[in-house]
Amino acid sequence: MQSACPNGSADVTGRIASLPLFHKAAGTRIVVVGEGPMADAKRRLVERAGAMAVGEAEAHHATLAFVALEDPGEAAAVRQRLKAKGLLVNVADKPDLCDFTTPSILDRDPLLIAIGTGGASAGLAKHVRLRLEAILPQTLGALARALAEGRDRLRAALPDGDARRRAVDAALRRGGMLDPLEDASAERVTGWLANPATDAPARLETVTLTSDDPEDLTLRQARWLGEADAIYHDAGIAPAILARARADAQRHPLDEAPAAPSEGFALILRRG
């Protein structure tokens, strides 16, 4: 579920409105204030995360709180008391009183996909999740567990961190041995671990951009941005385009671009 607590939306500079985090709550106490369907939904969410829903009297044991009260004045007063005790507070349906939002959740345990709109529209987040539910196979969880169980074997086969990342990227990309959208991928992990580097050849691709709008990227271009280990780009490439790249991808000026593949996946971005 998602509380309506907007913090704005991403702008063309590539900034994001909220910092998305997964908070480990198992074994902790989280304050939930209120009664009725809205408060009950918050308690179910808290318990689903392995935490204990407690009242305001136990706020000194908690770091997070949900307030689900219909009366605006009462909700603001409770929030103020909880804030004074150092808690981060979500006030249901009170956008200006929220420190954090709760996204719509797609659960493929241990893979968890959180879809947020910064509180702009809980309905939109829900329907995006429902579309993804129809696309993403239930076996994604099994694939994630198999990869976790094989982590030590992968490190033994490929001690170099960059080599491991390239091998995993190659295996998980569309059509790869471990394509996440194929039901049988989880069953292939053991075979892949026997020689994970075979699917990770050096690559060099070039994209010529015709627009500064990331919405104009083709599916292939967007995928390459998300996969590339290194990006060589014109100084004038829009920040919103570069924001689609992996956060840990190395960035280089265009004049340093290689002439041929050497190692990993290098992507050249030019303006049209």
Side-chain angles (χ1 to χ4, degrees):
M1 71 191 62
Q2 182 178 41
S3 299
C5 308
N7 295 314
S9 57
D11 61 29
V12 294
T13 66
R15 290 193 296 263
I16 55 177
S18 301
L19 179 63
L21 301 170
F22 286 92
H23 182 77
K24 292 184 178 180
T28 68
R29 301 182 192 188
I30 297 177
V31 173
V32 180
V33 179
E35 300 295 337
M38 192 181 302
D40 289 343
K42 300 302 185 186
R43 290 188 181 92
R44 287 194 297 270
L45 178 64
V46 167
E47 291 165 1
R48 187 177 175 188
M52 180 187 301
V54 299
E56 186 180 354
E58 295 189 59
H60 57 288
H61 292 300
T63 56
L64 297 176
F66 292 96
V67 177
L69 296 169
E70 294 291 343
D71 182 82
E74 185 181 3
V78 172
R79 174 190 179 270
Q80 188 61 35
R81 292 198 298 269
L82 293 170
K83 291 286 291 177
K85 294 178 181 179
L87 278 69
L88 295 175
V89 184
N90 173 289
V91 183
D93 293 331
K94 305 293 187 293
D96 296 336
L97 302 182
C98 288
D99 295 315
F100 66 93
T101 61
T102 52
S104 185
I105 297 170
L106 192 157
D107 188 358
R108 295 287 189 271
D109 183 52
L111 179 69
L112 190 66
I113 299 174
I115 304 159
T117 63
S121 173
L124 174 60
K126 179 183 74 173
H127 282 278
V128 170
R129 174 181 61 79
L130 291 174
R131 296 286 183 92
L132 291 176
E133 287 276 12
I135 295 170
L136 300 179
Q138 292 293 329
T139 53
L140 274 176
L143 176 60
R145 286 190 293 274
L147 288 169
E149 291 166 1
R151 188 179 293 122
D152 290 341
R153 285 187 61 192
L154 180 60
R155 285 176 175 163
L158 296 173
D160 180 73
D162 287 339
R164 284 198 304 274
R165 185 174 63 247
R166 291 194 294 269
V168 171
D169 279 348
L172 291 173
R173 70 169 53 101
R174 185 170 65 177
M177 190 172 181
L178 306 182
D179 187 331
L181 297 190
E182 291 191 12
D183 288 336
S185 290
E187 301 170 3
R188 300 186 187 123
V189 172
T190 299
W192 171 72
L193 286 169
N195 193 359
T198 55
D199 283 336
R203 297 174 62 197
L204 176 65
E205 305 286 356
T206 299
V207 168
T208 300
L209 299 169
T210 58
S211 166
D212 289 338
D213 187 346
E215 296 302 316
D216 291 333
L217 291 168
T218 66
L219 291 175
R220 175 180 294 176
Q221 290 169 347
R223 187 172 70 250
W224 284 352
L225 273 167
E227 294 175 354
D229 299 301
I231 296 175
Y232 299 83
H233 62 89
D234 277 336
I237 296 296
I241 297 289
L242 294 174
R244 297 292 182 98
R246 268 179 29 206
D248 62 343
Q250 298 178 21
R251 311 291 178 88
H252 304 279
L254 185 61
D255 58 11
E256 295 180 7
S262 55
E263 62 176 5
F265 177 14
L267 182 64
I268 297 173
L269 293 181
R270 303 180 185 275
R271 292 175 61 87

